[in-house]
Amino acid sequence: MPVRFVTGNEGKVREAREYFADVEAVEQIQYDYAEIQHDSLAEIATRGVREAYAAIGDDIPVFVEDSELAIEALGGFPGPYSAYVEDTLGIERVWELVADEERRRARFRSVIAYASGDPADPDVETFTGSVAGTIVAPRGEGGFGYDPIFEYNGTTMAELSTEEKNAISHRGRALEKFAEWVAEHRD
């Protein structure tokens, strides 16, 4: 049975497939669940997976992933509002907001929420990954989202191959935990 990923983001699906290549197929499910506004990324992902699982309604487990970028100089902003900020301001403007700051340290964080069982009251498991880095001027052609402005050990995420990025990224770390859990718990 495939692992079903509720997302419209092809980049996230490609990353997930790297982790499940030897275990199971990753099937993308298109469903636009309501993303609540909340300070807790885990709460956002948990509510999203519960809604998606109930709406799809076929008792086949699903998972969602939500990420945030927290920039130290901006007091953790954009945090759980990262997708909205990317869509409205763009990554170049985020870079401009911190370009003159001394503390450009940042953290990418990812939460995967997996729902199974009764769609009316599902069992939900969460898996978290994070990586620390620095915000820099955009560079690199790969990746997506904030990858061109997030530098880890001298290289932006957009300058890495998918395999290199997965080995160190916040989502890769969460996917690794999730894939291990699935291998141990799925029938």
Side-chain angles (χ1 to χ4, degrees), residues 73-111:
L74 301 179
F77 181 81
Y81 311 104
S82 296
Y84 176 76
V85 170
E86 179 190 351
D87 289 345
T88 56
L89 296 180
I91 64 168
E92 292 82 6
R93 183 70 178 118
V94 172
W95 159 245
E96 291 170 8
L97 289 171
V98 297
D100 293 331
E101 297 288 338
E102 287 183 34
R103 296 180 345 258
R104 294 190 318 228
R105 290 188 300 256
R107 179 168 299 279
F108 261 142
R109 191 163 160 261
S110 171
V111 173

Side-chain angles (χ1 to χ4, degrees), residues 143-177:
F144 56 92
Y146 291 96
D147 289 350
I149 65 169
F150 188 87
E151 183 182 77
Y152 176 81
N153 285 347
T155 306
T156 68
M157 294 292 196
E159 294 173 311
L160 299 173
S161 69
T162 299
E163 295 78 21
E164 291 169 325
K165 179 183 166 186
N166 278 351
I168 61 167
S169 80
H170 58 303
R171 188 173 303 103
R173 292 172 181 186
L175 283 165
E176 180 177 25
K177 292 175 187 175

Side-chain angles (χ1 to χ4, degrees), residues 38-88:
H38 201 285
D39 290 339
S40 167
L41 197 59
E43 183 65 23
I44 294 167
T46 297
R47 292 251 194 113
V49 81
R50 285 179 185 276
E51 178 189 325
Y53 187 51
I56 295 166
D58 60 10
D59 295 346
I60 299 174
V62 300
F63 76 98
V64 303
E65 186 274 343
D66 204 355
S67 299
E68 68 180 3
L69 174 66
I71 302 171
E72 184 178 305
L74 301 179
F77 181 81
Y81 311 104
S82 296
Y84 176 76
V85 170
E86 179 190 351
D87 289 345
T88 56

